[in-house]
Amino acid sequence: MLALVFSLCVLSFAAQISCAQTAAPQIKSDVGKANPLNAPGLAEKVEALLQKMTLEEKIGQLVQYSAGQATGPTSGRTDDRDMVRKGQVGSLFNVTSARETNALQRIAVENSRLKIPLIFGLDVIHGYRTTFPIPLGLAATWEPEIVEKAARVAGLEASASGVRWAFSPMVDIARDARWGRISEGAGEDPYLGAAMARAYVRGYQGERLDAADSIVACPKHYVGYGAAEGGRDYNSTEISEHTLRQFYLPPFHAAEEAGAGTFMSGFNALNGIPTTANAFTLKQVLRKEWGFRGFVVSDWNSVGELQAHGIANDGATAARKAFQAGVDMDMVSNVYHRHLMQLLESGQIAQRDTDEAVRNVLRVKYAMGLFDHPYTDESKESSAMLRPESVAIAKIAAMHSLVLLRNEAVSGSPILPLSAKISSLALIGPLGDDAGNMIGSWGALGRAADAVTLRRALTEKLGDSNLHYSKGAGILDGTDSDIAAAVEAAQNSDVAILALGEDAPTMTGEAASRTRLGLPGRQEELLEKVVATGKPVVLILFSGRPLTLPWAFEHVPAVFAAWFPGVQAGYAITDVLFGAAAPTGHLPLSWPRDVAQEPLYYNALNTGRPMADPEHPAEKGETKYISRYIDEPNTPQFPFAYGLTYTTFSYGATQTSAKQLMLATLQNALADPARQSTVLSVSAEITNRGARSGETLAQLYIRLEGTSVAMPVRMLKGFQKAALAPGETRKVTFEVGADAFAFWGVENKFGVEPAHVTIWIAPDSTAGESTTLEIADTHR
Ligand code: BGC
């Protein structure tokens, strides 16, 4: 069932502060699952404990430090432990072994007055010890099931070290590949983003949040962080309320509905108000409209940074503003510890607000079962890591994250899959044998030694003498002689595999925005020289973002986007190269031709002019009006949701079960909190036209016209994978709920309006044969 977020706030963005204090109509839908933070008896336990707490102990629950940081405790130092003993700390992070978490926990539970356990957090982003593809790669699988399994493995492993809180998922919508943190999220689309958000939360938090191996999720960075102007990390954002509601909030709402126990605020200012001091997003939307019951932690030092943002001239004001806006826990800036007491005593913040923040934290600690089982079993820690079944999931996730971008014919047939008859292969490039980079950024406890490189996997498959490995160049540098050696290796082989791309730790992730999205160093030159040998070339791009490589996309016959695939990188890629598995990944974002096109996203609005250029090859057949450059087509290099495989599919016409939907029917369906009813069936016949069986990703898109606000040229509303035998034709059907047609309208609420609807079932965001229907308020 389609589950688009839906809420009935009728208050405007402009009126945000007063909004936060008014009782807004609330709709809370936990979509089928009981929220563990509402468990019977929980509120009583929290209340009983709260009654016993001193003000100092209450403030302690709102304070978080990173181990080893100057502002707070480190695991080995006695004076730091003293803060834990005094109940001045509620949470620690970056403590990553069972022995250390247990030692600190023992102080909290056995030596502090009220025995309140610590909650240990960590950036568990795409695995703990077993590293999965980076989140952008996981999104490229378009398989929430595998993402849920990956998150479950991360939960099992992290909890074995006593880490019960993941600062993940990052659900920031990102439309600009210059932004380094685009690698940490699910790309540009709110529907796919929401599906991924739910999958992570379910995986981390497991069947029961109070199970010893469950970890609490923390969707971040709330909200709009991915819209950083110019793609520069940490930069300010200006997002209209419509765009915020329609695009940026849905993945957060989905995570909240899936039961996420915590949220993290962001570094960015949103429409002039830093998200760490933003009462509209934190109190109005998150607490009042969505009914969030967990706690909000700031981002690293983002409370203290309110001073740099210019909305606080001292630490005390920074603490007050963040606290009053709804940030419950201060991550490392130490201003809650320093100033909350004095703010309370002087009446600048209210005791009842402090109690409420403490309740939020304690509710999560109780719901996690931390009071019942605060420790982890040290004897089981190492056996929890890298279990064969976990590594097997990492391999599947890596295989399914690979997106085949090109597969041109070389001497009559597509170059891939590689023939088993190939007797020699050249492996060239700085990423062919770089285990550290396979882990990607935010590796948690992932180790280079655990990662299988392409060189290792290909050597195991082909034998040492048949694999001609030549690095050719570094990621950033290279010498003429190394390039010449690589060219020679290609000349002596049947096929050349080039493993090129970015350096994960320095060029992707936080504070790693780029203005040029080509291959760094001498890699492009290396590629062109190898292609010039005339040998068939397969280019494997390892990157945390799309790379703009116009020459390669014209001259290299086969290209994969491999992201950073994790511990099983080499085996996963080798299986797909040789056809043991077919590629099934699809792009979670629009892949630009040129960095100057950024921000580029498929779900954009139409404009009034000019007409698409019917003469231009890239715009042929376009009837849309699109704003455009004079020197570069508007279209992406590869559209959102694009991906090839080893067979081809044709999609028949889209058909719907009705040509007219009554407005009242949709409104009634939306008013049902369970939102389960189907209002329309949409189907299309898909045929496998090739000689191999294969899987296609059928996508459902809609467009609404004639509405009170302009809506995008297409919006994703569903997706499903279908496996078809050679020659097989299969009908795929989407059962569509009313929420697919709901949007944030001019009256500042989610709802449906009369509209002309275009619907596609398509293999990517630019393809498909559409049909139309009407949403009408009277029968026609
Ligand atoms: C990042 C967060 C991360 C936090 C804790 C910050 O710099 O923005 O995503 O969770 O550090 O490591």
Side-chain angles (χ1 to χ4, degrees), residues 609-638:
R609 58 175 56 199
M611 235 354 218
D613 180 356
E615 297 305 318
H616 199 291
E619 291 178 7
K620 226 182 190 132
E622 285 281 5
T623 51
K624 289 184 303 218
Y625 293 88
I626 43 173
S627 70
R628 62 198 301 276
Y629 303 101
I630 55 171
D631 54 0
E632 186 71 50
N634 234 41
T635 50
Q637 182 85 54
F638 302 106

mmCIF file of all heavy atoms in Angstrom, residues 609-638:
data_model
loop_
_atom_site.group_PDB
_atom_site.id
_atom_site.type_symbol
_atom_site.label_atom_id
_atom_site.label_comp_id
_atom_site.label_asym_id
_atom_site.label_seq_id
_atom_site.Cartn_x
_atom_site.Cartn_y
_atom_site.Cartn_z
ATOM 1 N N ARG A 609 7.986 28.621 -20.346
ATOM 2 C CA ARG A 609 8.762 28.723 -21.569
ATOM 3 C C ARG A 609 10.211 28.358 -21.301
ATOM 4 O O ARG A 609 10.587 28.320 -20.138
ATOM 5 C CB ARG A 609 8.669 30.120 -22.146
ATOM 6 C CG ARG A 609 9.158 31.201 -21.148
ATOM 7 C CD ARG A 609 9.206 32.572 -21.713
ATOM 8 N NE ARG A 609 7.928 32.978 -22.260
ATOM 9 C CZ ARG A 609 7.801 33.982 -23.141
ATOM 10 N NH1 ARG A 609 8.886 34.621 -23.554
ATOM 11 N NH2 ARG A 609 6.625 34.344 -23.590
ATOM 12 N N PRO A 610 11.056 28.108 -22.265
ATOM 13 C CA PRO A 610 10.680 27.925 -23.666
ATOM 14 C C PRO A 610 10.303 26.476 -23.936
ATOM 15 O O PRO A 610 10.432 25.618 -23.058
ATOM 16 C CB PRO A 610 11.978 28.277 -24.373
ATOM 17 C CG PRO A 610 13.041 27.780 -23.433
ATOM 18 C CD PRO A 610 12.488 27.977 -22.046
ATOM 19 N N MET A 611 9.841 26.217 -25.154
ATOM 20 C CA MET A 611 9.529 24.862 -25.590
ATOM 21 C C MET A 611 10.823 24.049 -25.630
ATOM 22 O O MET A 611 11.879 24.612 -25.918
ATOM 23 C CB MET A 611 9.044 24.994 -27.019
ATOM 24 C CG MET A 611 7.737 24.462 -27.488
ATOM 25 S SD MET A 611 6.740 23.505 -26.451
ATOM 26 C CE MET A 611 6.144 22.369 -27.653
ATOM 27 N N ALA A 612 10.729 22.769 -25.376
ATOM 28 C CA ALA A 612 11.892 21.903 -25.584
ATOM 29 C C ALA A 612 12.304 22.000 -27.052
ATOM 30 O O ALA A 612 11.478 22.253 -27.928
ATOM 31 C CB ALA A 612 11.516 20.476 -25.237
ATOM 32 N N ASP A 613 13.573 21.816 -27.311
ATOM 33 C CA ASP A 613 14.096 21.941 -28.672
ATOM 34 C C ASP A 613 13.884 20.628 -29.431
ATOM 35 O O ASP A 613 14.554 19.639 -29.157
ATOM 36 C CB ASP A 613 15.596 22.282 -28.557
ATOM 37 C CG ASP A 613 16.245 22.429 -29.913
ATOM 38 O OD1 ASP A 613 15.556 22.198 -30.927
ATOM 39 O OD2 ASP A 613 17.438 22.776 -29.943
ATOM 40 N N PRO A 614 12.958 20.619 -30.421
ATOM 41 C CA PRO A 614 12.659 19.355 -31.092
ATOM 42 C C PRO A 614 13.836 18.862 -31.930
ATOM 43 O O PRO A 614 13.914 17.694 -32.294
ATOM 44 C CB PRO A 614 11.456 19.692 -31.977
ATOM 45 C CG PRO A 614 11.457 21.177 -32.112
ATOM 46 C CD PRO A 614 12.199 21.751 -30.953
ATOM 47 N N GLU A 615 14.786 19.772 -32.226
ATOM 48 C CA GLU A 615 15.926 19.382 -33.064
ATOM 49 C C GLU A 615 17.035 18.731 -32.238
ATOM 50 O O GLU A 615 17.881 18.022 -32.748
ATOM 51 C CB GLU A 615 16.540 20.628 -33.754
ATOM 52 C CG GLU A 615 15.589 21.336 -34.709
ATOM 53 C CD GLU A 615 15.047 20.373 -35.750
ATOM 54 O OE1 GLU A 615 15.824 19.566 -36.269
ATOM 55 O OE2 GLU A 615 13.824 20.411 -35.997
ATOM 56 N N HIS A 616 17.039 19.040 -30.940
ATOM 57 C CA HIS A 616 18.154 18.547 -30.137
ATOM 58 C C HIS A 616 17.966 17.075 -29.796
ATOM 59 O O HIS A 616 16.899 16.687 -29.315
ATOM 60 C CB HIS A 616 18.288 19.361 -28.850
ATOM 61 C CG HIS A 616 19.638 19.191 -28.242
ATOM 62 N ND1 HIS A 616 20.050 18.010 -27.683
ATOM 63 C CD2 HIS A 616 20.692 20.038 -28.174
ATOM 64 C CE1 HIS A 616 21.292 18.138 -27.272
ATOM 65 N NE2 HIS A 616 21.699 19.368 -27.556
ATOM 66 N N PRO A 617 18.996 16.260 -30.059
ATOM 67 C CA PRO A 617 18.824 14.819 -29.821
ATOM 68 C C PRO A 617 18.334 14.505 -28.407
ATOM 69 O O PRO A 617 17.518 13.610 -28.205
ATOM 70 C CB PRO A 617 20.217 14.237 -30.049
ATOM 71 C CG PRO A 617 21.080 15.332 -30.565
ATOM 72 C CD PRO A 617 20.329 16.624 -30.524
ATOM 73 N N ALA A 618 18.817 15.263 -27.439
ATOM 74 C CA ALA A 618 18.451 14.939 -26.058
ATOM 75 C C ALA A 618 17.040 15.398 -25.711
ATOM 76 O O ALA A 618 16.483 14.980 -24.704
ATOM 77 C CB ALA A 618 19.442 15.575 -25.105
ATOM 78 N N GLU A 619 16.475 16.277 -26.519
ATOM 79 C CA GLU A 619 15.146 16.791 -26.177
ATOM 80 C C GLU A 619 14.097 16.371 -27.192
ATOM 81 O O GLU A 619 12.927 16.747 -27.079
ATOM 82 C CB GLU A 619 15.200 18.329 -26.079
ATOM 83 C CG GLU A 619 16.007 18.784 -24.881
ATOM 84 C CD GLU A 619 16.127 20.293 -24.777
ATOM 85 O OE1 GLU A 619 15.473 21.000 -25.551
ATOM 86 O OE2 GLU A 619 16.887 20.756 -23.908
ATOM 87 N N LYS A 620 14.498 15.617 -28.200
ATOM 88 C CA LYS A 620 13.583 15.140 -29.233
ATOM 89 C C LYS A 620 12.360 14.492 -28.606
ATOM 90 O O LYS A 620 12.483 13.708 -27.669
ATOM 91 C CB LYS A 620 14.306 14.105 -30.085
ATOM 92 C CG LYS A 620 14.107 14.307 -31.555
ATOM 93 C CD LYS A 620 14.812 13.228 -32.337
ATOM 94 C CE LYS A 620 14.772 13.652 -33.776
ATOM 95 N NZ LYS A 620 16.046 13.556 -34.413
ATOM 96 N N GLY A 621 11.224 14.807 -29.151
ATOM 97 C CA GLY A 621 10.020 14.167 -28.644
ATOM 98 C C GLY A 621 9.493 14.797 -27.372
ATOM 99 O O GLY A 621 8.418 14.471 -26.900
ATOM 100 N N GLU A 622 10.250 15.710 -26.771
ATOM 101 C CA GLU A 622 9.791 16.372 -25.552
ATOM 102 C C GLU A 622 8.718 17.391 -25.900
ATOM 103 O O GLU A 622 8.920 18.219 -26.784
ATOM 104 C CB GLU A 622 10.959 17.124 -24.891
ATOM 105 C CG GLU A 622 11.934 16.227 -24.184
ATOM 106 C CD GLU A 622 11.420 15.809 -22.825
ATOM 107 O OE1 GLU A 622 10.280 16.154 -22.496
ATOM 108 O OE2 GLU A 622 12.172 15.123 -22.106
ATOM 109 N N THR A 623 7.619 17.354 -25.197
ATOM 110 C CA THR A 623 6.613 18.384 -25.443
ATOM 111 C C THR A 623 6.561 19.351 -24.269
ATOM 112 O O THR A 623 5.789 20.274 -24.237
ATOM 113 C CB THR A 623 5.220 17.754 -25.629
ATOM 114 O OG1 THR A 623 5.003 16.893 -24.538
ATOM 115 C CG2 THR A 623 5.133 16.981 -26.922
ATOM 116 N N LYS A 624 7.431 19.073 -23.289
ATOM 117 C CA LYS A 624 7.398 19.912 -22.096
ATOM 118 C C LYS A 624 8.044 21.269 -22.363
ATOM 119 O O LYS A 624 8.856 21.427 -23.254
ATOM 120 C CB LYS A 624 8.175 19.218 -20.972
ATOM 121 C CG LYS A 624 7.478 18.016 -20.436
ATOM 122 C CD LYS A 624 8.231 17.431 -19.273
ATOM 123 C CE LYS A 624 9.648 17.071 -19.627
ATOM 124 N NZ LYS A 624 10.126 15.854 -19.029
ATOM 125 N N TYR A 625 7.688 22.209 -21.546
ATOM 126 C CA TYR A 625 8.401 23.479 -21.526
ATOM 127 C C TYR A 625 9.442 23.353 -20.426
ATOM 128 O O TYR A 625 9.124 22.965 -19.310
ATOM 129 C CB TYR A 625 7.448 24.621 -21.169
ATOM 130 C CG TYR A 625 6.414 24.880 -22.223
ATOM 131 C CD1 TYR A 625 5.211 24.186 -22.207
ATOM 132 C CD2 TYR A 625 6.645 25.823 -23.216
ATOM 133 C CE1 TYR A 625 4.258 24.431 -23.175
ATOM 134 C CE2 TYR A 625 5.679 26.076 -24.183
ATOM 135 C CZ TYR A 625 4.488 25.377 -24.165
ATOM 136 O OH TYR A 625 3.559 25.614 -25.116
ATOM 137 N N ILE A 626 10.655 23.686 -20.745
ATOM 138 C CA ILE A 626 11.677 23.563 -19.718
ATOM 139 C C ILE A 626 12.628 24.742 -19.783
ATOM 140 O O ILE A 626 13.075 25.132 -20.854
ATOM 141 C CB ILE A 626 12.478 22.249 -19.861
ATOM 142 C CG1 ILE A 626 12.834 21.984 -21.330
ATOM 143 C CG2 ILE A 626 11.733 21.075 -19.272
ATOM 144 C CD1 ILE A 626 13.752 20.809 -21.521
ATOM 145 N N SER A 627 12.955 25.283 -18.633
ATOM 146 C CA SER A 627 13.988 26.303 -18.609
ATOM 147 C C SER A 627 15.276 25.608 -19.035
ATOM 148 O O SER A 627 15.467 24.439 -18.733
ATOM 149 C CB SER A 627 14.140 26.859 -17.194
ATOM 150 O OG SER A 627 14.720 25.890 -16.366
ATOM 151 N N ARG A 628 16.106 26.299 -19.777
ATOM 152 C CA ARG A 628 17.271 25.582 -20.299
ATOM 153 C C ARG A 628 18.470 26.504 -20.514
ATOM 154 O O ARG A 628 18.335 27.713 -20.562
ATOM 155 C CB ARG A 628 16.913 24.860 -21.588
ATOM 156 C CG ARG A 628 16.476 25.772 -22.722
ATOM 157 C CD ARG A 628 15.735 24.998 -23.792
ATOM 158 N NE ARG A 628 16.541 23.944 -24.366
ATOM 159 C CZ ARG A 628 17.412 24.140 -25.358
ATOM 160 N NH1 ARG A 628 17.579 25.320 -25.874
ATOM 161 N NH2 ARG A 628 18.097 23.141 -25.841
ATOM 162 N N TYR A 629 19.621 25.861 -20.630
ATOM 163 C CA TYR A 629 20.851 26.582 -20.986
ATOM 164 C C TYR A 629 20.977 26.587 -22.501
ATOM 165 O O TYR A 629 20.386 25.745 -23.176
ATOM 166 C CB TYR A 629 22.067 25.870 -20.384
ATOM 167 C CG TYR A 629 22.005 25.711 -18.886
ATOM 168 C CD1 TYR A 629 21.630 24.495 -18.304
ATOM 169 C CD2 TYR A 629 22.312 26.771 -18.039
ATOM 170 C CE1 TYR A 629 21.558 24.345 -16.934
ATOM 171 C CE2 TYR A 629 22.249 26.626 -16.662
ATOM 172 C CZ TYR A 629 21.868 25.413 -16.111
ATOM 173 O OH TYR A 629 21.797 25.267 -14.748
ATOM 174 N N ILE A 630 21.790 27.510 -23.036
ATOM 175 C CA ILE A 630 21.969 27.482 -24.487
ATOM 176 C C ILE A 630 23.068 26.511 -24.904
ATOM 177 O O ILE A 630 23.185 26.160 -26.059
ATOM 178 C CB ILE A 630 22.288 28.895 -25.059
ATOM 179 C CG1 ILE A 630 23.513 29.486 -24.347
ATOM 180 C CG2 ILE A 630 21.077 29.817 -24.965
ATOM 181 C CD1 ILE A 630 24.029 30.768 -25.006
ATOM 182 N N ASP A 631 23.864 26.075 -23.938
ATOM 183 C CA ASP A 631 25.028 25.283 -24.331
ATOM 184 C C ASP A 631 25.051 23.873 -23.753
ATOM 185 O O ASP A 631 26.054 23.186 -23.836
ATOM 186 C CB ASP A 631 26.309 26.030 -23.924
ATOM 187 C CG ASP A 631 26.301 26.404 -22.451
ATOM 188 O OD1 ASP A 631 25.304 26.076 -21.768
ATOM 189 O OD2 ASP A 631 27.276 27.004 -21.976
ATOM 190 N N GLU A 632 23.960 23.455 -23.151
ATOM 191 C CA GLU A 632 23.937 22.091 -22.580
ATOM 192 C C GLU A 632 22.473 21.682 -22.485
ATOM 193 O O GLU A 632 21.652 22.455 -21.990
ATOM 194 C CB GLU A 632 24.557 22.115 -21.173
ATOM 195 C CG GLU A 632 24.733 20.762 -20.513
ATOM 196 C CD GLU A 632 25.826 19.910 -21.154
ATOM 197 O OE1 GLU A 632 26.948 20.400 -21.345
ATOM 198 O OE2 GLU A 632 25.521 18.738 -21.471
ATOM 199 N N PRO A 633 22.124 20.494 -22.979
ATOM 200 C CA PRO A 633 20.720 20.076 -22.844
ATOM 201 C C PRO A 633 20.327 20.004 -21.377
ATOM 202 O O PRO A 633 21.177 19.792 -20.513
ATOM 203 C CB PRO A 633 20.692 18.685 -23.462
ATOM 204 C CG PRO A 633 21.990 18.492 -24.111
ATOM 205 C CD PRO A 633 22.959 19.504 -23.611
ATOM 206 N N ASN A 634 19.076 20.141 -21.120
ATOM 207 C CA ASN A 634 18.583 20.115 -19.749
ATOM 208 C C ASN A 634 18.557 18.711 -19.167
ATOM 209 O O ASN A 634 18.531 18.541 -17.963
ATOM 210 C CB ASN A 634 17.158 20.640 -19.743
ATOM 211 C CG ASN A 634 17.005 21.768 -18.779
ATOM 212 O OD1 ASN A 634 17.890 22.616 -18.697
ATOM 213 N ND2 ASN A 634 15.935 21.763 -18.046
ATOM 214 N N THR A 635 18.512 17.761 -20.044
ATOM 215 C CA THR A 635 18.344 16.380 -19.589
ATOM 216 C C THR A 635 19.588 15.896 -18.848
ATOM 217 O O THR A 635 20.698 16.363 -19.117
ATOM 218 C CB THR A 635 18.109 15.462 -20.797
ATOM 219 O OG1 THR A 635 19.136 15.749 -21.746
ATOM 220 C CG2 THR A 635 16.753 15.699 -21.398
ATOM 221 N N PRO A 636 19.384 14.961 -17.933
ATOM 222 C CA PRO A 636 20.567 14.404 -17.255
ATOM 223 C C PRO A 636 21.324 13.458 -18.184
ATOM 224 O O PRO A 636 20.811 13.048 -19.228
ATOM 225 C CB PRO A 636 19.943 13.625 -16.103
ATOM 226 C CG PRO A 636 18.581 13.264 -16.569
ATOM 227 C CD PRO A 636 18.133 14.362 -17.494
ATOM 228 N N GLN A 637 22.512 13.102 -17.758
ATOM 229 C CA GLN A 637 23.242 12.054 -18.483
ATOM 230 C C GLN A 637 22.472 10.737 -18.382
ATOM 231 O O GLN A 637 22.270 10.043 -19.378
ATOM 232 C CB GLN A 637 24.630 11.887 -17.838
ATOM 233 C CG GLN A 637 25.517 10.880 -18.517
ATOM 234 C CD GLN A 637 26.262 11.494 -19.680
ATOM 235 O OE1 GLN A 637 26.939 12.495 -19.541
ATOM 236 N NE2 GLN A 637 26.110 10.893 -20.847
ATOM 237 N N PHE A 638 22.040 10.428 -17.169
ATOM 238 C CA PHE A 638 21.189 9.258 -16.927
ATOM 239 C C PHE A 638 20.090 9.703 -15.974
ATOM 240 O O PHE A 638 20.379 10.317 -14.938
ATOM 241 C CB PHE A 638 21.986 8.115 -16.280
ATOM 242 C CG PHE A 638 23.168 7.678 -17.089
ATOM 243 C CD1 PHE A 638 24.455 8.019 -16.678
ATOM 244 C CD2 PHE A 638 23.016 6.948 -18.263
ATOM 245 C CE1 PHE A 638 25.563 7.646 -17.420
ATOM 246 C CE2 PHE A 638 24.128 6.569 -19.020
ATOM 247 C CZ PHE A 638 25.398 6.920 -18.593
#
